[in-house]
Amino acid sequence: MLPTTSTQSNCTLSSRDAVRHTAGAKRNKYLRRLLHFRQMDFEFALWQMFYLFTSPQRVYRNFHYRKQTKDQWARDDPAFLVLLSIWLCVSTVGFGLVLDMGFLETLKLLLWVVFVDCIGVGLFISTVMWIISNQCLLKHPSKNFDVEWGYAFDVHLNAFYPLLVILHFLQLFFINHVVVINSDWFLGYFVGNTL
């Protein structure tokens, strides 16, 4: 069963609580916190990044705990997105150095990777999957339950991080230093395409 948000519980919500639980209010809170680095929990975001490789079920169990304590599935702290963007910037600069790209080419690649590959495609895919899950995948579809869009975006970020490490960090060592991917023989093509 998909994680859902209940808009009505056993007791009725006050008007202030109802406004606080709307998608717009959650989005505004998330965007406001994006500008306040001192309020972000980077240690917890690093914990999540580590456990996405070693034990992903612990990360998703944490989403369940958040639902029980804060009544939402999605992260309310943008620290994971900020750290992911930093890792993308570092790895893109690494690609620029390994591939002997100029400053402008590296900058264009950086903007493309962060804003198109990660955020833009992530917004599109999470929106499409959010619509599909709310219309087709709920066990008992009703107006009172829906999958949060923020949760769909968090699932995208969680899936994007291991891909980032494999394709942006590990692959850097195989391009020129081990001379596997950048060679014109079958093994180079095979390793590059397999990664």
Side-chain angles (χ1 to χ4, degrees):
M1 190 164 106
L2 289 172
T4 58
T5 300
S6 172
T7 56
Q8 290 181 347
S9 58
N10 294 339
C11 60
T12 60
L13 293 173
S14 68
S15 61
R16 189 158 110 197
D17 289 337
V19 169
R20 197 174 66 212
H21 284 78
T22 64
K26 290 178 184 178
R27 179 192 64 231
N28 290 338
K29 180 182 175 184
Y30 188 85
L31 292 175
R32 272 195 318 269
R33 289 191 73 183
L34 191 60
L35 301 174
H36 300 281
F37 289 105
R38 291 183 183 194
Q39 295 180 359
M40 293 185 202
D41 190 0
F42 290 109
E43 183 179 345
F44 182 65
L46 285 171
W47 174 88
Q48 288 180 330
M49 288 179 169
F50 174 75
Y51 279 108
L52 280 172
F53 275 105
T54 60
S55 180
Q57 67 271 20
R58 291 179 96 179
V59 176
Y60 285 97
R61 192 176 316 130
N62 182 265
F63 279 96
H64 181 70
Y65 296 151
R66 186 181 308 113
K67 173 62 177 164
Q68 291 175 340
T69 58
K70 295 185 178 182
D71 195 29
Q72 74 177 29
W73 289 96
R75 290 182 181 107
D76 58 352
D77 186 16
F80 190 89
L81 179 62
V82 170
L83 285 178
L84 184 66
S85 298
I86 290 170
W87 299 137
L88 282 169
C89 292
V90 168
S91 67
T92 303
V93 169
F95 263 106
L97 293 173
V98 167
L99 298 176
D100 294 327
M101 298 171 67
F103 176 76
L104 288 177
E105 290 92 11
T106 304
L107 183 64
K108 285 195 301 189
L109 180 64
L110 172 70
L111 294 174
W112 181 267
V113 166
V114 172
F115 292 109
V116 176
D117 284 349
C118 181
I119 296 174
V121 173
L123 292 173
F124 175 74
I125 289 174
S126 58
T127 302
V128 169
M129 295 311 294
W130 171 70
I131 291 169
I132 290 171
S133 62
N134 277 327
Q135 292 182 355
C136 303
L137 299 178
L138 290 179
K139 194 172 187 176
H140 301 289
S142 70
K143 297 287 183 191
N144 296 335
F145 297 101
D146 68 336
V147 175
E148 298 173 9
W149 181 88
Y151 180 73
F153 188 67
D154 284 342
V155 169
H156 158 71
L157 293 178
N158 290 346
F160 192 83
Y161 179 69
L163 178 76
L164 162 76
V165 171
I166 293 169
L167 292 181
H168 282 239
F169 284 119
L170 296 180
Q171 189 175 11
L172 281 176
F173 299 108
F174 290 100
I175 290 178
N176 283 338
H177 301 295
V178 181
V179 191
V180 175
I181 294 176
N182 210 11
S183 62
D184 287 334
W185 38 297
F186 174 75
L187 183 63
Y189 295 132
F190 180 75
V191 170
N193 288 331
T194 302
L195 284 175

